[in-house]
Amino acid sequence: MAALTGAWEQALAPEFRKEYYRKLYGKIREEYHEHVIYPPSQEIFTAFHLTPLEEVKVVILGQDPYHEPGQAQGLAFSVKKGVAIPPSLQNIYQELHDDLGYAIPSHGDLSSWARQGVLLLNTCLTVRAHQAFSHQGIGWEEFTDAAIRAVDRVDRPVVFILWGSPARRKKALITNQKRLILEAPHPSPLSAYRGFFGSRPFSQTNAYLEKNGVAPVNWEIK
């Protein structure tokens, strides 16, 4: 795993010394040795590398990485250019179009969002090939909870976008008053029609940021 740096390293250093993390690290090394695991090990912490803690203004919380070849890149919901856009991301793009009028992108790389302060964080950071949720319960949730708390401690406005039940359960970790929490069903084809479509998270986020003197996110993907 590529090491964390800067403010993320300072905020999460106590986790590295805890027993759960030592077990997690050992388990992950074993898994990469014995199975096909996504994303590549050097990309596990991509969300933290592209979005420094001091720049976070939006958190979009997913569950675990895509589990098919070539998809996962360490950013929740994102895939690299040239990879087919997964159904959940297609629905995110549809809502983006309906909300802000942007053309639906031809690729699924969300790194431009990440570089603007949008932390694209999964609650689990690794997964076995073809086995969704296969790394639940091995310690990642405790680690990413610590990351959510680290963001919640910063003294500036931040928007948390919680899609789906696992993400919405993290609402209890968010206690700072300088927060906008947007909740909706997951953008998966199984649930998007239960209230994800029409939730307008992108315009709501930018309205809140601008109201509080923070530069809005350019959500357009080109």
Side-chain angles (χ1 to χ4, degrees), residues 36-39 64-67 125-129 131-135:
V36 176
I37 304 298
Y38 301 127
D64 68 343
Y66 295 124
H67 52 82
L125 300 186
T126 56
V127 67
R128 283 188 191 179
Q131 297 181 44
F133 317 133
S134 49
H135 281 176

Side-chain angles (χ1 to χ4, degrees), residues 138-152:
I138 65 172
W140 278 131
E141 293 92 342
E142 190 166 349
F143 182 78
T144 54
D145 281 359
I148 293 168
R149 291 190 183 98
V151 174
D152 198 46

